[in-house]
PDB file of all heavy atoms in Angstrom:
ATOM      1  N   SER A  36     532.229 103.243  28.431  1.00  0.00           N
ATOM      2  CA  SER A  36     531.027 103.836  27.831  1.00  0.00           C
ATOM      3  C   SER A  36     529.961 104.030  28.905  1.00  0.00           C
ATOM      4  O   SER A  36     530.050 103.486  30.007  1.00  0.00           O
ATOM      5  CB  SER A  36     530.488 102.899  26.746  1.00  0.00           C
ATOM      6  OG  SER A  36     529.980 101.713  27.353  1.00  0.00           O
ATOM      7  N   MET A  37     528.917 104.770  28.549  1.00  0.00           N
ATOM      8  CA  MET A  37     527.798 104.966  29.463  1.00  0.00           C
ATOM      9  C   MET A  37     527.159 103.614  29.802  1.00  0.00           C
ATOM     10  O   MET A  37     526.824 103.356  30.958  1.00  0.00           O
ATOM     11  CB  MET A  37     526.756 105.910  28.852  1.00  0.00           C
ATOM     12  CG  MET A  37     525.584 106.177  29.777  1.00  0.00           C
ATOM     13  SD  MET A  37     526.049 106.852  31.401  1.00  0.00           S
ATOM     14  CE  MET A  37     526.724 108.420  30.923  1.00  0.00           C
ATOM     15  N   PHE A  38     527.020 102.733  28.814  1.00  0.00           N
ATOM     16  CA  PHE A  38     526.442 101.408  29.061  1.00  0.00           C
ATOM     17  C   PHE A  38     527.303 100.611  30.033  1.00  0.00           C
ATOM     18  O   PHE A  38     526.779  99.954  30.934  1.00  0.00           O
ATOM     19  CB  PHE A  38     526.294 100.660  27.729  1.00  0.00           C
ATOM     20  CG  PHE A  38     525.640  99.315  27.866  1.00  0.00           C
ATOM     21  CD1 PHE A  38     524.285  99.208  28.105  1.00  0.00           C
ATOM     22  CD2 PHE A  38     526.388  98.156  27.747  1.00  0.00           C
ATOM     23  CE1 PHE A  38     523.681  97.962  28.229  1.00  0.00           C
ATOM     24  CE2 PHE A  38     525.794  96.907  27.870  1.00  0.00           C
ATOM     25  CZ  PHE A  38     524.436  96.814  28.111  1.00  0.00           C
ATOM     26  N   MET A  39     528.608 100.666  29.870  1.00  0.00           N
ATOM     27  CA  MET A  39     529.524  99.955  30.761  1.00  0.00           C
ATOM     28  C   MET A  39     529.375 100.464  32.201  1.00  0.00           C
ATOM     29  O   MET A  39     529.362  99.680  33.142  1.00  0.00           O
ATOM     30  CB  MET A  39     530.961 100.108  30.290  1.00  0.00           C
ATOM     31  CG  MET A  39     531.232  99.447  28.954  1.00  0.00           C
ATOM     32  SD  MET A  39     532.876  99.803  28.326  1.00  0.00           S
ATOM     33  CE  MET A  39     533.833  98.652  29.310  1.00  0.00           C
ATOM     34  N   ILE A  40     529.265 101.766  32.349  1.00  0.00           N
ATOM     35  CA  ILE A  40     529.127 102.360  33.680  1.00  0.00           C
ATOM     36  C   ILE A  40     527.794 101.957  34.305  1.00  0.00           C
ATOM     37  O   ILE A  40     527.734 101.526  35.454  1.00  0.00           O
ATOM     38  CB  ILE A  40     529.269 103.895  33.609  1.00  0.00           C
ATOM     39  CG1 ILE A  40     530.705 104.270  33.202  1.00  0.00           C
ATOM     40  CG2 ILE A  40     528.871 104.546  34.923  1.00  0.00           C
ATOM     41  CD1 ILE A  40     530.878 105.722  32.803  1.00  0.00           C
ATOM     42  N   GLU A  41     526.714 102.101  33.532  1.00  0.00           N
ATOM     43  CA  GLU A  41     525.383 101.792  34.055  1.00  0.00           C
ATOM     44  C   GLU A  41     525.251 100.336  34.501  1.00  0.00           C
ATOM     45  O   GLU A  41     524.640 100.057  35.530  1.00  0.00           O
ATOM     46  CB  GLU A  41     524.313 102.087  33.000  1.00  0.00           C
ATOM     47  CG  GLU A  41     524.109 103.547  32.721  1.00  0.00           C
ATOM     48  CD  GLU A  41     523.129 103.806  31.590  1.00  0.00           C
ATOM     49  OE1 GLU A  41     522.812 102.889  30.812  1.00  0.00           O
ATOM     50  OE2 GLU A  41     522.673 104.953  31.483  1.00  0.00           O
ATOM     51  N   THR A  42     525.795  99.405  33.716  1.00  0.00           N
ATOM     52  CA  THR A  42     525.610  97.977  33.986  1.00  0.00           C
ATOM     53  C   THR A  42     526.725  97.356  34.810  1.00  0.00           C
ATOM     54  O   THR A  42     526.621  96.192  35.195  1.00  0.00           O
ATOM     55  CB  THR A  42     525.500  97.179  32.674  1.00  0.00           C
ATOM     56  OG1 THR A  42     526.711  97.330  31.927  1.00  0.00           O
ATOM     57  CG2 THR A  42     524.294  97.611  31.862  1.00  0.00           C
ATOM     58  N   GLY A  43     527.795  98.094  35.052  1.00  0.00           N
ATOM     59  CA  GLY A  43     528.935  97.513  35.758  1.00  0.00           C
ATOM     60  C   GLY A  43     529.592  96.425  34.929  1.00  0.00           C
ATOM     61  O   GLY A  43     530.027  95.398  35.451  1.00  0.00           O
ATOM     62  N   LEU A  44     529.679  96.641  33.633  1.00  0.00           N
ATOM     63  CA  LEU A  44     530.211  95.647  32.694  1.00  0.00           C
ATOM     64  C   LEU A  44     531.679  95.346  32.963  1.00  0.00           C
ATOM     65  O   LEU A  44     532.506  96.254  33.077  1.00  0.00           O
ATOM     66  CB  LEU A  44     530.043  96.147  31.257  1.00  0.00           C
ATOM     67  CG  LEU A  44     530.591  95.269  30.141  1.00  0.00           C
ATOM     68  CD1 LEU A  44     529.838  93.958  30.064  1.00  0.00           C
ATOM     69  CD2 LEU A  44     530.494  95.995  28.811  1.00  0.00           C
ATOM     70  N   SER A  45     532.007  94.052  33.070  1.00  0.00           N
ATOM     71  CA  SER A  45     533.398  93.597  33.183  1.00  0.00           C
ATOM     72  C   SER A  45     533.593  92.415  32.242  1.00  0.00           C
ATOM     73  O   SER A  45     532.636  91.954  31.619  1.00  0.00           O
ATOM     74  CB  SER A  45     533.731  93.213  34.628  1.00  0.00           C
ATOM     75  OG  SER A  45     532.923  92.139  35.063  1.00  0.00           O
ATOM     76  N   ASN A  46     534.818  91.951  32.136  1.00  0.00           N
ATOM     77  CA  ASN A  46     535.172  90.911  31.160  1.00  0.00           C
ATOM     78  C   ASN A  46     534.728  91.337  29.762  1.00  0.00           C
ATOM     79  O   ASN A  46     534.199  90.546  28.993  1.00  0.00           O
ATOM     80  CB  ASN A  46     534.561  89.555  31.522  1.00  0.00           C
ATOM     81  CG  ASN A  46     535.134  88.976  32.779  1.00  0.00           C
ATOM     82  OD1 ASN A  46     536.135  89.451  33.309  1.00  0.00           O
ATOM     83  ND2 ASN A  46     534.499  87.957  33.294  1.00  0.00           N
ATOM     84  N   TYR A  47     534.940  92.613  29.462  1.00  0.00           N
ATOM     85  CA  TYR A  47     534.460  93.240  28.224  1.00  0.00           C
ATOM     86  C   TYR A  47     534.960  92.522  26.982  1.00  0.00           C
ATOM     87  O   TYR A  47     536.154  92.411  26.746  1.00  0.00           O
ATOM     88  CB  TYR A  47     534.918  94.698  28.213  1.00  0.00           C
ATOM     89  CG  TYR A  47     534.559  95.481  26.979  1.00  0.00           C
ATOM     90  CD1 TYR A  47     533.240  95.697  26.640  1.00  0.00           C
ATOM     91  CD2 TYR A  47     535.553  96.028  26.182  1.00  0.00           C
ATOM     92  CE1 TYR A  47     532.899  96.439  25.515  1.00  0.00           C
ATOM     93  CE2 TYR A  47     535.232  96.781  25.067  1.00  0.00           C
ATOM     94  CZ  TYR A  47     533.906  96.975  24.735  1.00  0.00           C
ATOM     95  OH  TYR A  47     533.584  97.709  23.634  1.00  0.00           O
ATOM     96  N   GLU A  48     534.014  92.020  26.215  1.00  0.00           N
ATOM     97  CA  GLU A  48     534.295  91.396  24.918  1.00  0.00           C
ATOM     98  C   GLU A  48     533.300  91.977  23.916  1.00  0.00           C
ATOM     99  O   GLU A  48     532.160  91.509  23.807  1.00  0.00           O
ATOM    100  CB  GLU A  48     534.155  89.874  25.012  1.00  0.00           C
ATOM    101  CG  GLU A  48     534.401  89.159  23.712  1.00  0.00           C
ATOM    102  CD  GLU A  48     535.695  89.581  23.020  1.00  0.00           C
ATOM    103  OE1 GLU A  48     536.776  89.402  23.618  1.00  0.00           O
ATOM    104  OE2 GLU A  48     535.625  90.112  21.882  1.00  0.00           O
ATOM    105  N   PRO A  49     533.725  93.033  23.186  1.00  0.00           N
ATOM    106  CA  PRO A  49     532.788  93.732  22.304  1.00  0.00           C
ATOM    107  C   PRO A  49     532.192  92.862  21.202  1.00  0.00           C
ATOM    108  O   PRO A  49     531.071  93.111  20.764  1.00  0.00           O
ATOM    109  CB  PRO A  49     533.621  94.881  21.725  1.00  0.00           C
ATOM    110  CG  PRO A  49     535.036  94.478  21.922  1.00  0.00           C
ATOM    111  CD  PRO A  49     535.069  93.596  23.136  1.00  0.00           C
ATOM    112  N   SER A  50     532.903  91.825  20.789  1.00  0.00           N
ATOM    113  CA  SER A  50     532.356  90.966  19.730  1.00  0.00           C
ATOM    114  C   SER A  50     531.201  90.108  20.240  1.00  0.00           C
ATOM    115  O   SER A  50     530.508  89.472  19.446  1.00  0.00           O
ATOM    116  CB  SER A  50     533.454  90.084  19.131  1.00  0.00           C
ATOM    117  OG  SER A  50     533.937  89.175  20.101  1.00  0.00           O
ATOM    118  N   CYS A  51     530.963  90.108  21.546  1.00  0.00           N
ATOM    119  CA  CYS A  51     529.860  89.352  22.144  1.00  0.00           C
ATOM    120  C   CYS A  51     528.740  90.277  22.608  1.00  0.00           C
ATOM    121  O   CYS A  51     527.974  89.947  23.510  1.00  0.00           O
ATOM    122  CB  CYS A  51     530.374  88.493  23.295  1.00  0.00           C
ATOM    123  SG  CYS A  51     531.489  87.185  22.754  1.00  0.00           S
ATOM    124  N   ILE A  52     528.665  91.451  21.983  1.00  0.00           N
ATOM    125  CA  ILE A  52     527.572  92.382  22.244  1.00  0.00           C
ATOM    126  C   ILE A  52     526.975  92.756  20.889  1.00  0.00           C
ATOM    127  O   ILE A  52     527.654  93.332  20.051  1.00  0.00           O
ATOM    128  CB  ILE A  52     528.045  93.653  22.976  1.00  0.00           C
ATOM    129  CG1 ILE A  52     528.703  93.294  24.305  1.00  0.00           C
ATOM    130  CG2 ILE A  52     526.874  94.613  23.179  1.00  0.00           C
ATOM    131  CD1 ILE A  52     529.305  94.479  25.038  1.00  0.00           C
ATOM    132  N   GLU A  53     525.717  92.407  20.688  1.00  0.00           N
ATOM    133  CA  GLU A  53     525.036  92.702  19.432  1.00  0.00           C
ATOM    134  C   GLU A  53     524.161  93.943  19.579  1.00  0.00           C
ATOM    135  O   GLU A  53     523.395  94.051  20.530  1.00  0.00           O
ATOM    136  CB  GLU A  53     524.151  91.531  18.995  1.00  0.00           C
ATOM    137  CG  GLU A  53     524.919  90.305  18.621  1.00  0.00           C
ATOM    138  CD  GLU A  53     524.044  89.140  18.208  1.00  0.00           C
ATOM    139  OE1 GLU A  53     522.848  89.088  18.581  1.00  0.00           O
ATOM    140  OE2 GLU A  53     524.562  88.262  17.514  1.00  0.00           O
ATOM    141  N   ALA A  54     524.290  94.848  18.629  1.00  0.00           N
ATOM    142  CA  ALA A  54     523.437  96.028  18.538  1.00  0.00           C
ATOM    143  C   ALA A  54     522.521  95.805  17.331  1.00  0.00           C
ATOM    144  O   ALA A  54     522.991  95.557  16.229  1.00  0.00           O
ATOM    145  CB  ALA A  54     524.280  97.277  18.344  1.00  0.00           C
ATOM    146  N   ILE A  55     521.209  95.888  17.569  1.00  0.00           N
ATOM    147  CA  ILE A  55     520.233  95.565  16.528  1.00  0.00           C
ATOM    148  C   ILE A  55     519.264  96.728  16.377  1.00  0.00           C
ATOM    149  O   ILE A  55     518.691  97.199  17.363  1.00  0.00           O
ATOM    150  CB  ILE A  55     519.453  94.288  16.899  1.00  0.00           C
ATOM    151  CG1 ILE A  55     520.412  93.117  17.089  1.00  0.00           C
ATOM    152  CG2 ILE A  55     518.392  93.978  15.853  1.00  0.00           C
ATOM    153  CD1 ILE A  55     519.793  91.909  17.756  1.00  0.00           C
ATOM    154  N   LEU A  56     519.089  97.189  15.142  1.00  0.00           N
ATOM    155  CA  LEU A  56     518.107  98.234  14.835  1.00  0.00           C
ATOM    156  C   LEU A  56     517.022  97.650  13.950  1.00  0.00           C
ATOM    157  O   LEU A  56     517.292  96.797  13.105  1.00  0.00           O
ATOM    158  CB  LEU A  56     518.759  99.387  14.078  1.00  0.00           C
ATOM    159  CG  LEU A  56     519.406 100.495  14.873  1.00  0.00           C
ATOM    160  CD1 LEU A  56     519.983 101.552  13.941  1.00  0.00           C
ATOM    161  CD2 LEU A  56     518.436 101.139  15.840  1.00  0.00           C
ATOM    162  N   SER A  57     515.823  98.144  14.113  1.00  0.00           N
ATOM    163  CA  SER A  57     514.726  97.746  13.240  1.00  0.00           C
ATOM    164  C   SER A  57     515.093  98.123  11.802  1.00  0.00           C
ATOM    165  O   SER A  57     515.527  99.250  11.550  1.00  0.00           O
ATOM    166  CB  SER A  57     513.454  98.482  13.660  1.00  0.00           C
ATOM    167  OG  SER A  57     512.468  98.392  12.679  1.00  0.00           O
ATOM    168  N   PRO A  58     514.941  97.208  10.852  1.00  0.00           N
ATOM    169  CA  PRO A  58     515.294  97.520   9.465  1.00  0.00           C
ATOM    170  C   PRO A  58     514.525  98.719   8.914  1.00  0.00           C
ATOM    171  O   PRO A  58     515.051  99.483   8.111  1.00  0.00           O
ATOM    172  CB  PRO A  58     514.930  96.251   8.688  1.00  0.00           C
ATOM    173  CG  PRO A  58     514.826  95.172   9.707  1.00  0.00           C
ATOM    174  CD  PRO A  58     514.476  95.834  11.003  1.00  0.00           C
ATOM    175  N   SER A  59     513.294  98.906   9.358  1.00  0.00           N
ATOM    176  CA  SER A  59     512.477 100.015   8.867  1.00  0.00           C
ATOM    177  C   SER A  59     512.690 101.299   9.662  1.00  0.00           C
ATOM    178  O   SER A  59     512.234 102.356   9.250  1.00  0.00           O
ATOM    179  CB  SER A  59     510.995  99.632   8.945  1.00  0.00           C
ATOM    180  OG  SER A  59     510.595  99.516  10.300  1.00  0.00           O
ATOM    181  N   GLY A  60     513.354 101.174  10.822  1.00  0.00           N
ATOM    182  CA  GLY A  60     513.515 102.316  11.706  1.00  0.00           C
ATOM    183  C   GLY A  60     512.281 102.577  12.553  1.00  0.00           C
ATOM    184  O   GLY A  60     512.244 103.503  13.341  1.00  0.00           O
ATOM    185  N   LYS A  61     511.273 101.755  12.373  1.00  0.00           N
ATOM    186  CA  LYS A  61     510.032 101.898  13.123  1.00  0.00           C
ATOM    187  C   LYS A  61     509.927 100.805  14.184  1.00  0.00           C
ATOM    188  O   LYS A  61     510.576  99.769  14.089  1.00  0.00           O
ATOM    189  CB  LYS A  61     508.848 101.808  12.172  1.00  0.00           C
ATOM    190  CG  LYS A  61     508.886 102.860  11.075  1.00  0.00           C
ATOM    191  CD  LYS A  61     507.509 103.207  10.623  1.00  0.00           C
ATOM    192  CE  LYS A  61     507.470 104.198   9.495  1.00  0.00           C
ATOM    193  NZ  LYS A  61     508.174 105.387   9.616  1.00  0.00           N
ATOM    194  N   ALA A  62     509.100 101.034  15.170  1.00  0.00           N
ATOM    195  CA  ALA A  62     508.898 100.054  16.233  1.00  0.00           C
ATOM    196  C   ALA A  62     508.244  98.797  15.680  1.00  0.00           C
ATOM    197  O   ALA A  62     507.311  98.868  14.877  1.00  0.00           O
ATOM    198  CB  ALA A  62     508.031 100.648  17.332  1.00  0.00           C
ATOM    199  N   ILE A  63     508.774  97.658  16.099  1.00  0.00           N
ATOM    200  CA  ILE A  63     508.220  96.358  15.746  1.00  0.00           C
ATOM    201  C   ILE A  63     508.217  95.502  17.013  1.00  0.00           C
ATOM    202  O   ILE A  63     508.797  95.895  18.024  1.00  0.00           O
ATOM    203  CB  ILE A  63     509.018  95.668  14.609  1.00  0.00           C
ATOM    204  CG1 ILE A  63     510.503  95.517  14.980  1.00  0.00           C
ATOM    205  CG2 ILE A  63     508.867  96.430  13.307  1.00  0.00           C
ATOM    206  CD1 ILE A  63     511.347  94.788  13.942  1.00  0.00           C
ATOM    207  N   THR A  64     507.588  94.357  16.950  1.00  0.00           N
ATOM    208  CA  THR A  64     507.591  93.508  18.134  1.00  0.00           C
ATOM    209  C   THR A  64     509.007  93.021  18.404  1.00  0.00           C
ATOM    210  O   THR A  64     509.824  92.880  17.485  1.00  0.00           O
ATOM    211  CB  THR A  64     506.664  92.288  17.977  1.00  0.00           C
ATOM    212  OG1 THR A  64     507.178  91.438  16.952  1.00  0.00           O
ATOM    213  CG2 THR A  64     505.232  92.706  17.677  1.00  0.00           C
ATOM    214  N   VAL A  65     509.276  92.765  19.660  1.00  0.00           N
ATOM    215  CA  VAL A  65     510.595  92.271  20.061  1.00  0.00           C
ATOM    216  C   VAL A  65     510.881  90.939  19.373  1.00  0.00           C
ATOM    217  O   VAL A  65     512.020  90.667  18.990  1.00  0.00           O
ATOM    218  CB  VAL A  65     510.688  92.166  21.595  1.00  0.00           C
ATOM    219  CG1 VAL A  65     511.920  91.413  22.032  1.00  0.00           C
ATOM    220  CG2 VAL A  65     510.681  93.545  22.202  1.00  0.00           C
ATOM    221  N   SER A  66     509.859  90.129  19.197  1.00  0.00           N
ATOM    222  CA  SER A  66     510.045  88.846  18.507  1.00  0.00           C
ATOM    223  C   SER A  66     510.591  89.053  17.097  1.00  0.00           C
ATOM    224  O   SER A  66     511.485  88.336  16.663  1.00  0.00           O
ATOM    225  CB  SER A  66     508.727  88.072  18.449  1.00  0.00           C
ATOM    226  OG  SER A  66     508.291  87.742  19.736  1.00  0.00           O
ATOM    227  N   GLU A  67     510.060  90.035  16.394  1.00  0.00           N
ATOM    228  CA  GLU A  67     510.549  90.346  15.044  1.00  0.00           C
ATOM    229  C   GLU A  67     511.949  90.959  15.093  1.00  0.00           C
ATOM    230  O   GLU A  67     512.811  90.618  14.302  1.00  0.00           O
ATOM    231  CB  GLU A  67     509.612  91.326  14.345  1.00  0.00           C
ATOM    232  CG  GLU A  67     508.252  90.784  14.010  1.00  0.00           C
ATOM    233  CD  GLU A  67     507.357  91.884  13.462  1.00  0.00           C
ATOM    234  OE1 GLU A  67     506.813  92.657  14.283  1.00  0.00           O
ATOM    235  OE2 GLU A  67     507.239  91.969  12.230  1.00  0.00           O
ATOM    236  N   LEU A  68     512.140  91.897  16.013  1.00  0.00           N
ATOM    237  CA  LEU A  68     513.404  92.620  16.117  1.00  0.00           C
ATOM    238  C   LEU A  68     514.569  91.680  16.427  1.00  0.00           C
ATOM    239  O   LEU A  68     515.651  91.810  15.860  1.00  0.00           O
ATOM    240  CB  LEU A  68     513.293  93.700  17.200  1.00  0.00           C
ATOM    241  CG  LEU A  68     514.493  94.608  17.412  1.00  0.00           C
ATOM    242  CD1 LEU A  68     514.794  95.432  16.165  1.00  0.00           C
ATOM    243  CD2 LEU A  68     514.246  95.525  18.604  1.00  0.00           C
ATOM    244  N   LEU A  69     514.346  90.726  17.320  1.00  0.00           N
ATOM    245  CA  LEU A  69     515.429  89.849  17.764  1.00  0.00           C
ATOM    246  C   LEU A  69     515.547  88.558  16.969  1.00  0.00           C
ATOM    247  O   LEU A  69     516.471  87.772  17.202  1.00  0.00           O
ATOM    248  CB  LEU A  69     515.250  89.531  19.252  1.00  0.00           C
ATOM    249  CG  LEU A  69     515.397  90.742  20.176  1.00  0.00           C
ATOM    250  CD1 LEU A  69     515.000  90.380  21.597  1.00  0.00           C
ATOM    251  CD2 LEU A  69     516.809  91.292  20.122  1.00  0.00           C
ATOM    252  N   ASP A  70     514.633  88.335  16.040  1.00  0.00           N
ATOM    253  CA  ASP A  70     514.702  87.146  15.192  1.00  0.00           C
ATOM    254  C   ASP A  70     516.007  87.169  14.403  1.00  0.00           C
ATOM    255  O   ASP A  70     516.274  88.113  13.669  1.00  0.00           O
ATOM    256  CB  ASP A  70     513.508  87.110  14.240  1.00  0.00           C
ATOM    257  CG  ASP A  70     513.443  85.844  13.415  1.00  0.00           C
ATOM    258  OD1 ASP A  70     514.005  84.821  13.823  1.00  0.00           O
ATOM    259  OD2 ASP A  70     512.812  85.894  12.334  1.00  0.00           O
ATOM    260  N   GLY A  71     516.846  86.182  14.594  1.00  0.00           N
ATOM    261  CA  GLY A  71     518.131  86.110  13.903  1.00  0.00           C
ATOM    262  C   GLY A  71     519.318  86.487  14.773  1.00  0.00           C
ATOM    263  O   GLY A  71     520.462  86.338  14.357  1.00  0.00           O
TER     264      GLY A  71
END
Side-chain angles (χ1 to χ4, degrees):
S36 68
M37 181 57 65
F38 183 74
M39 294 173 79
I40 293 167
E41 290 175 344
T42 61
L44 178 65
S45 62
N46 293 349
Y47 177 63
E48 179 50 61
S50 65
C51 294
I52 301 175
E53 293 179 338
I55 302 167
L56 273 181
S57 166
S59 67
K61 302 209 183 308
I63 57 177
T64 66
V65 169
S66 296
E67 292 174 280
L68 183 63
L69 295 171
D70 185 23

